Amino acid sequence: GIGTSIPCMYSIMSDLYSVENRIHMSMFVNILMFVGISGGQTIAGFTGPVMGWRFPFLIVGVPAIIGAILVLTTAVEPVRGSQEEAVLQMRKTTHFRTVTTGLIASLSEDDICSRHRSYHSKVDAELPMCHRNTAHNSHGTNYSETIDWSKVLDLLRTPSVAIIIIQGIPGCLPWGIVYVYLNDYFSEDRGLSIHEATVLLSMFGGATIGILIGGSAGQYMYNIDKKYQCYLMGTSTVLSLLPLLVLINCDAREGFSNGSFFLWMILAGITMNITGVNVNVVLQNVTTPGVRGTAFAFHALTDDLGKGGGPAAIALLIRAVGSRTAAFNCSLACVLLCGLLLVILAFYVDADECNVQHQIADSISRDHCEPGNVSSKLKLSAQASDSSLASYRIIPSQDAGNY
């Protein structure tokens, strides 16, 4: 049930919030997810040894049931694609009406340019313009595509989507170490008690700081250049190696006594959580509404392979090398691969995001606009008795004042 809800949740969030606001909601959701995971670990660490291993499962199931009831009784499904940039832009554009000789040439007074200057003007917007009340009718600019296998194949052929899906496997191995092994590793191999190890892991709460820093910095860099957001993810992923290597290899008893391990655990929580809040937003922006849930299903699948299959692979590695410390160090090398993939993502994300908006514009225009290649720069021309009206270009309202 939880695995099913995550792809749906991010798809619905994309329909509720525009590109500028998705990062903030991703921060909020990631913080709540971290609080839930950390809270579950804390409950298990303190109540499991006393009440038995079944008791923590009983406790953590209660909030899930309450949340499911609230969603069932209060949530309203938004209109699909209603917050996409192409859709919002189309609703703002000025509507044209048909006049003599079939020429669409009537604009509001504020948007009318000289007939001769309009002939020579450049078109900045590359969005389709409907000719029958579409610009002011929200139903006329709604995205209505549904998923099919051809769209799924196109999705997987999108470079940004493929990279995000693939990087989830090596990128989630550290999470498998932290959530599956680290508590037991500190208590069994490094000389801490179960309660001390649980308290130390609670310092991973630096994740909240990492989510806030990552979300704010990611949005700032996205506004400057979309590539910079990817560079941030790749850099922070590689930097997360340092605190993890210290925690795995240094003396835990000494580090716990002098407090240094608490600082390293906080730093690990910060660096490991910068990527997550940003990669979810990038995936939202490079997928169309019709296949976005499917994209997040693939993303969640590879994440779970890393978090679940990773510990299984590490267990085999422990058996092979005979040491958990050596096995953890070897597995952390995969983080470098993840960081490299995120840097490579920077070379594709801009073009893929633009392509998504073109697809949305084309989809809407097929239902509501004149046929033709509407994602290219639009030009309407017709022969009229006045030679100066021989050619008109569509000028969006926000740009009309420039001509």
Short mmCIF file of all heavy atoms in Angstrom, two decimals, residues 5-52:
data_model
loop_
_atom_site.label_atom_id
_atom_site.label_comp_id
_atom_site.label_asym_id
_atom_site.label_seq_id
_atom_site.Cartn_x
_atom_site.Cartn_y
_atom_site.Cartn_z
N SER A 5 1.29 4.24 -2.98
CA SER A 5 0.89 5.62 -2.73
C SER A 5 1.96 6.64 -3.12
O SER A 5 1.62 7.77 -3.50
CB SER A 5 0.54 5.80 -1.25
OG SER A 5 1.69 5.63 -0.43
N ILE A 6 3.24 6.27 -3.06
CA ILE A 6 4.30 7.24 -3.30
C ILE A 6 4.28 7.76 -4.73
O ILE A 6 4.30 8.99 -4.95
CB ILE A 6 5.67 6.65 -2.93
CG1 ILE A 6 5.75 6.47 -1.41
CG2 ILE A 6 6.80 7.55 -3.42
CD1 ILE A 6 7.03 5.81 -0.94
N PRO A 7 4.23 6.90 -5.78
CA PRO A 7 4.14 7.46 -7.15
C PRO A 7 2.90 8.31 -7.36
O PRO A 7 2.96 9.36 -8.01
CB PRO A 7 4.12 6.21 -8.03
CG PRO A 7 4.75 5.13 -7.22
CD PRO A 7 4.35 5.43 -5.81
N CYS A 8 1.78 7.87 -6.82
CA CYS A 8 0.53 8.64 -6.96
C CYS A 8 0.65 10.00 -6.27
O CYS A 8 0.17 11.02 -6.77
CB CYS A 8 -0.64 7.86 -6.37
SG CYS A 8 -1.03 6.32 -7.23
N MET A 9 1.31 10.01 -5.12
CA MET A 9 1.44 11.24 -4.34
C MET A 9 2.21 12.30 -5.12
O MET A 9 1.77 13.46 -5.21
CB MET A 9 2.15 10.94 -3.02
CG MET A 9 2.45 12.16 -2.17
SD MET A 9 3.30 11.69 -0.65
CE MET A 9 4.84 11.03 -1.31
N TYR A 10 3.34 11.92 -5.71
CA TYR A 10 4.13 12.90 -6.45
C TYR A 10 3.43 13.34 -7.74
O TYR A 10 3.56 14.50 -8.15
CB TYR A 10 5.51 12.34 -6.76
CG TYR A 10 6.46 12.42 -5.58
CD1 TYR A 10 6.80 11.29 -4.85
CD2 TYR A 10 7.00 13.64 -5.19
CE1 TYR A 10 7.65 11.37 -3.76
CE2 TYR A 10 7.86 13.73 -4.11
CZ TYR A 10 8.19 12.59 -3.40
OH TYR A 10 9.03 12.68 -2.32
N SER A 11 2.69 12.45 -8.37
CA SER A 11 1.95 12.82 -9.56
C SER A 11 0.85 13.82 -9.22
O SER A 11 0.66 14.82 -9.94
CB SER A 11 1.35 11.57 -10.21
OG SER A 11 0.63 11.89 -11.37
N ILE A 12 0.14 13.59 -8.14
CA ILE A 12 -0.92 14.51 -7.72
C ILE A 12 -0.34 15.85 -7.30
O ILE A 12 -0.90 16.91 -7.59
CB ILE A 12 -1.74 13.88 -6.57
CG1 ILE A 12 -2.55 12.70 -7.12
CG2 ILE A 12 -2.68 14.91 -5.94
CD1 ILE A 12 -3.27 11.90 -6.05
N MET A 13 0.82 15.83 -6.62
CA MET A 13 1.46 17.08 -6.22
C MET A 13 1.80 17.93 -7.43
O MET A 13 1.69 19.17 -7.39
CB MET A 13 2.74 16.78 -5.43
CG MET A 13 2.51 16.42 -3.98
SD MET A 13 4.05 15.91 -3.20
CE MET A 13 5.14 17.24 -3.64
N SER A 14 2.21 17.29 -8.53
CA SER A 14 2.54 18.03 -9.75
C SER A 14 1.31 18.71 -10.34
O SER A 14 1.43 19.75 -10.98
CB SER A 14 3.14 17.08 -10.79
OG SER A 14 4.30 16.46 -10.29
N ASP A 15 0.14 18.12 -10.13
CA ASP A 15 -1.10 18.71 -10.63
C ASP A 15 -1.65 19.78 -9.69
O ASP A 15 -2.54 20.54 -10.07
CB ASP A 15 -2.16 17.63 -10.83
CG ASP A 15 -1.78 16.65 -11.93
OD1 ASP A 15 -1.03 17.05 -12.83
OD2 ASP A 15 -2.21 15.47 -11.86
N LEU A 16 -1.12 19.84 -8.48
CA LEU A 16 -1.56 20.84 -7.52
C LEU A 16 -0.69 22.08 -7.50
O LEU A 16 -1.16 23.17 -7.16
CB LEU A 16 -1.59 20.23 -6.11
CG LEU A 16 -2.71 19.24 -5.79
CD1 LEU A 16 -2.45 18.56 -4.46
CD2 LEU A 16 -4.07 19.94 -5.76
N TYR A 17 0.59 21.91 -7.87
CA TYR A 17 1.55 23.01 -7.71
C TYR A 17 2.35 23.21 -9.00
O TYR A 17 2.68 22.25 -9.69
CB TYR A 17 2.50 22.74 -6.54
CG TYR A 17 1.77 22.58 -5.23
CD1 TYR A 17 1.46 21.31 -4.74
CD2 TYR A 17 1.37 23.69 -4.50
CE1 TYR A 17 0.77 21.17 -3.55
CE2 TYR A 17 0.68 23.55 -3.31
CZ TYR A 17 0.38 22.28 -2.84
OH TYR A 17 -0.30 22.14 -1.67
N SER A 18 2.66 24.46 -9.27
CA SER A 18 3.41 24.81 -10.47
C SER A 18 4.90 24.50 -10.27
O SER A 18 5.33 24.12 -9.17
CB SER A 18 3.23 26.30 -10.78
OG SER A 18 3.74 27.09 -9.72
N VAL A 19 5.68 24.68 -11.34
CA VAL A 19 7.10 24.38 -11.29
C VAL A 19 7.80 25.14 -10.17
O VAL A 19 8.66 24.60 -9.48
CB VAL A 19 7.75 24.71 -12.65
CG1 VAL A 19 9.26 24.56 -12.58
CG2 VAL A 19 7.19 23.81 -13.75
N GLU A 20 7.40 26.39 -9.97
CA GLU A 20 8.06 27.22 -8.96
C GLU A 20 7.79 26.75 -7.54
O GLU A 20 8.58 27.01 -6.63
CB GLU A 20 7.61 28.69 -9.10
CG GLU A 20 8.05 29.38 -10.37
CD GLU A 20 7.20 28.99 -11.57
OE1 GLU A 20 6.15 28.34 -11.35
OE2 GLU A 20 7.58 29.32 -12.70
N ASN A 21 6.67 26.07 -7.32
CA ASN A 21 6.28 25.67 -5.96
C ASN A 21 6.50 24.20 -5.66
O ASN A 21 6.36 23.77 -4.51
CB ASN A 21 4.81 26.01 -5.72
CG ASN A 21 4.55 27.51 -5.74
OD1 ASN A 21 5.33 28.27 -5.18
ND2 ASN A 21 3.48 27.93 -6.40
N ARG A 22 6.84 23.40 -6.67
CA ARG A 22 7.00 21.97 -6.43
C ARG A 22 8.15 21.66 -5.47
O ARG A 22 8.08 20.71 -4.70
CB ARG A 22 7.22 21.25 -7.77
CG ARG A 22 5.97 21.14 -8.60
CD ARG A 22 6.24 20.61 -9.99
NE ARG A 22 5.03 20.65 -10.80
CZ ARG A 22 5.01 20.42 -12.10
NH1 ARG A 22 6.13 20.15 -12.76
NH2 ARG A 22 3.86 20.46 -12.77
N ILE A 23 9.21 22.45 -5.54
CA ILE A 23 10.35 22.20 -4.67
C ILE A 23 9.97 22.36 -3.20
O ILE A 23 10.43 21.60 -2.34
CB ILE A 23 11.53 23.14 -5.03
CG1 ILE A 23 12.81 22.70 -4.31
CG2 ILE A 23 11.19 24.58 -4.72
CD1 ILE A 23 13.44 21.47 -4.85
N HIS A 24 9.09 23.31 -2.91
CA HIS A 24 8.68 23.54 -1.52
C HIS A 24 7.85 22.37 -1.01
O HIS A 24 8.01 21.94 0.14
CB HIS A 24 7.90 24.85 -1.42
CG HIS A 24 8.63 26.04 -1.95
ND1 HIS A 24 9.83 26.46 -1.43
CD2 HIS A 24 8.33 26.89 -2.97
CE1 HIS A 24 10.25 27.53 -2.10
NE2 HIS A 24 9.36 27.80 -3.04
N MET A 25 6.96 21.87 -1.83
CA MET A 25 6.17 20.73 -1.41
C MET A 25 7.02 19.47 -1.32
O MET A 25 6.79 18.62 -0.45
CB MET A 25 5.00 20.52 -2.38
CG MET A 25 3.96 21.62 -2.35
SD MET A 25 3.45 22.05 -0.66
CE MET A 25 2.81 20.48 -0.08
N SER A 26 8.01 19.34 -2.20
CA SER A 26 8.92 18.20 -2.11
C SER A 26 9.70 18.24 -0.80
O SER A 26 9.92 17.21 -0.15
CB SER A 26 9.87 18.20 -3.30
OG SER A 26 10.73 17.08 -3.26
N MET A 27 10.12 19.44 -0.38
CA MET A 27 10.80 19.60 0.90
C MET A 27 9.89 19.15 2.04
O MET A 27 10.32 18.40 2.93
CB MET A 27 11.20 21.07 1.09
CG MET A 27 12.32 21.53 0.19
SD MET A 27 12.48 23.35 0.13
CE MET A 27 12.66 23.73 1.87
N PHE A 28 8.66 19.61 2.01
CA PHE A 28 7.71 19.29 3.07
C PHE A 28 7.46 17.78 3.16
O PHE A 28 7.49 17.19 4.24
CB PHE A 28 6.40 20.03 2.80
CG PHE A 28 5.35 19.85 3.85
CD1 PHE A 28 5.52 20.37 5.12
CD2 PHE A 28 4.18 19.15 3.57
CE1 PHE A 28 4.54 20.19 6.10
CE2 PHE A 28 3.20 18.97 4.53
CZ PHE A 28 3.39 19.50 5.81
N VAL A 29 7.24 17.15 2.00
CA VAL A 29 6.98 15.71 1.98
C VAL A 29 8.20 14.93 2.44
O VAL A 29 8.08 13.97 3.21
CB VAL A 29 6.54 15.27 0.57
CG1 VAL A 29 6.50 13.76 0.45
CG2 VAL A 29 5.17 15.85 0.24
N ASN A 30 9.39 15.32 1.98
CA ASN A 30 10.60 14.62 2.37
C ASN A 30 10.87 14.72 3.86
O ASN A 30 11.32 13.76 4.48
CB ASN A 30 11.80 15.16 1.59
CG ASN A 30 11.96 14.50 0.24
OD1 ASN A 30 12.74 13.58 0.06
ND2 ASN A 30 11.22 14.99 -0.75
N ILE A 31 10.59 15.88 4.44
CA ILE A 31 10.76 16.04 5.88
C ILE A 31 9.82 15.12 6.64
O ILE A 31 10.21 14.44 7.60
CB ILE A 31 10.55 17.51 6.29
CG1 ILE A 31 11.72 18.37 5.80
CG2 ILE A 31 10.40 17.64 7.81
CD1 ILE A 31 11.52 19.86 6.02
N LEU A 32 8.56 15.08 6.21
CA LEU A 32 7.59 14.22 6.89
C LEU A 32 7.95 12.74 6.74
O LEU A 32 7.81 11.96 7.70
CB LEU A 32 6.19 14.48 6.34
CG LEU A 32 5.57 15.83 6.68
CD1 LEU A 32 4.18 15.95 6.07
CD2 LEU A 32 5.49 16.04 8.19
N MET A 33 8.44 12.36 5.56
CA MET A 33 8.85 10.98 5.36
C MET A 33 10.03 10.63 6.25
O MET A 33 10.10 9.54 6.83
CB MET A 33 9.19 10.74 3.89
CG MET A 33 7.98 10.77 2.97
SD MET A 33 8.40 10.61 1.22
CE MET A 33 8.99 8.91 1.17
N PHE A 34 10.98 11.56 6.37
CA PHE A 34 12.13 11.32 7.24
C PHE A 34 11.69 11.20 8.69
O PHE A 34 12.18 10.33 9.43
CB PHE A 34 13.15 12.45 7.10
CG PHE A 34 14.19 12.42 8.18
CD1 PHE A 34 15.20 11.47 8.15
CD2 PHE A 34 14.13 13.31 9.23
CE1 PHE A 34 16.15 11.42 9.16
CE2 PHE A 34 15.06 13.27 10.25
CZ PHE A 34 16.08 12.33 10.21
N VAL A 35 10.78 12.09 9.12
CA VAL A 35 10.29 12.02 10.50
C VAL A 35 9.64 10.67 10.76
O VAL A 35 9.83 10.06 11.81
CB VAL A 35 9.30 13.18 10.77
CG1 VAL A 35 8.59 12.98 12.10
CG2 VAL A 35 10.04 14.51 10.76
N GLY A 36 8.88 10.18 9.78
CA GLY A 36 8.24 8.89 9.95
C GLY A 36 9.24 7.75 10.04
O GLY A 36 9.12 6.87 10.90
N ILE A 37 10.23 7.75 9.15
CA ILE A 37 11.24 6.68 9.16
C ILE A 37 12.06 6.72 10.45
O ILE A 37 12.29 5.69 11.10
CB ILE A 37 12.15 6.80 7.93
CG1 ILE A 37 11.35 6.52 6.66
CG2 ILE A 37 13.33 5.84 8.03
CD1 ILE A 37 12.12 6.80 5.38
N SER A 38 12.52 7.92 10.82
CA SER A 38 13.32 8.05 12.04
C SER A 38 12.49 7.72 13.27
O SER A 38 12.99 7.08 14.21
CB SER A 38 13.88 9.48 12.15
OG SER A 38 14.71 9.77 11.06
N GLY A 39 11.23 8.16 13.27
CA GLY A 39 10.37 7.84 14.40
C GLY A 39 10.16 6.34 14.54
O GLY A 39 10.17 5.80 15.66
N GLY A 40 9.99 5.65 13.41
CA GLY A 40 9.84 4.20 13.46
C GLY A 40 11.08 3.52 14.00
O GLY A 40 10.99 2.57 14.80
N GLN A 41 12.26 3.99 13.58
CA GLN A 41 13.50 3.40 14.09
C GLN A 41 13.67 3.65 15.58
O GLN A 41 14.10 2.76 16.32
CB GLN A 41 14.70 3.99 13.33
CG GLN A 41 14.94 3.37 11.97
CD GLN A 41 16.30 3.72 11.44
OE1 GLN A 41 16.73 4.87 11.53
NE2 GLN A 41 16.98 2.76 10.87
N THR A 42 13.32 4.86 16.01
CA THR A 42 13.44 5.18 17.43
C THR A 42 12.50 4.33 18.27
O THR A 42 12.88 3.80 19.33
CB THR A 42 13.15 6.68 17.65
OG1 THR A 42 14.04 7.45 16.86
CG2 THR A 42 13.32 7.05 19.11
N ILE A 43 11.26 4.19 17.80
CA ILE A 43 10.30 3.35 18.52
C ILE A 43 10.79 1.91 18.61
O ILE A 43 10.73 1.26 19.66
CB ILE A 43 8.91 3.42 17.84
CG1 ILE A 43 8.30 4.81 18.03
CG2 ILE A 43 7.97 2.35 18.40
CD1 ILE A 43 7.03 5.02 17.23
N ALA A 44 11.29 1.40 17.48
CA ALA A 44 11.78 0.02 17.47
C ALA A 44 12.99 -0.15 18.37
O ALA A 44 13.12 -1.16 19.09
CB ALA A 44 12.14 -0.38 16.04
N GLY A 45 13.89 0.85 18.39
CA GLY A 45 15.10 0.74 19.20
C GLY A 45 14.82 0.73 20.69
O GLY A 45 15.51 0.04 21.46
N PHE A 46 13.79 1.48 21.13
CA PHE A 46 13.51 1.58 22.56
C PHE A 46 12.48 0.57 23.05
O PHE A 46 12.55 0.11 24.19
CB PHE A 46 13.03 3.00 22.90
CG PHE A 46 14.14 4.01 22.97
CD1 PHE A 46 14.37 4.89 21.93
CD2 PHE A 46 14.99 4.07 24.07
CE1 PHE A 46 15.40 5.81 21.97
CE2 PHE A 46 16.02 4.98 24.14
CZ PHE A 46 16.23 5.86 23.09
N THR A 47 11.51 0.22 22.20
CA THR A 47 10.46 -0.68 22.67
C THR A 47 10.69 -2.13 22.27
O THR A 47 10.21 -3.05 22.94
CB THR A 47 9.09 -0.24 22.11
OG1 THR A 47 9.09 -0.34 20.68
CG2 THR A 47 8.79 1.20 22.51
N GLY A 48 11.42 -2.35 21.16
CA GLY A 48 11.65 -3.71 20.69
C GLY A 48 12.32 -4.62 21.71
O GLY A 48 11.83 -5.73 21.98
N PRO A 49 13.45 -4.18 22.31
CA PRO A 49 14.12 -5.05 23.29
C PRO A 49 13.26 -5.35 24.52
O PRO A 49 13.46 -6.37 25.19
CB PRO A 49 15.36 -4.24 23.67
CG PRO A 49 15.61 -3.34 22.51
CD PRO A 49 14.25 -2.98 22.02
N VAL A 50 12.32 -4.48 24.83
CA VAL A 50 11.51 -4.65 26.05
C VAL A 50 10.20 -5.36 25.74
O VAL A 50 9.80 -6.31 26.44
CB VAL A 50 11.22 -3.27 26.70
CG1 VAL A 50 10.35 -3.45 27.95
CG2 VAL A 50 12.52 -2.57 27.05
N MET A 51 9.49 -4.92 24.69
CA MET A 51 8.15 -5.41 24.40
C MET A 51 8.11 -6.51 23.33
O MET A 51 7.06 -7.09 23.09
CB MET A 51 7.26 -4.25 23.93
CG MET A 51 7.22 -3.06 24.88
SD MET A 51 6.46 -3.46 26.45
CE MET A 51 4.78 -3.77 25.95
N GLY A 52 9.26 -6.78 22.71
CA GLY A 52 9.27 -7.76 21.63
C GLY A 52 9.22 -7.09 20.26
O GLY A 52 8.77 -5.95 20.12
#
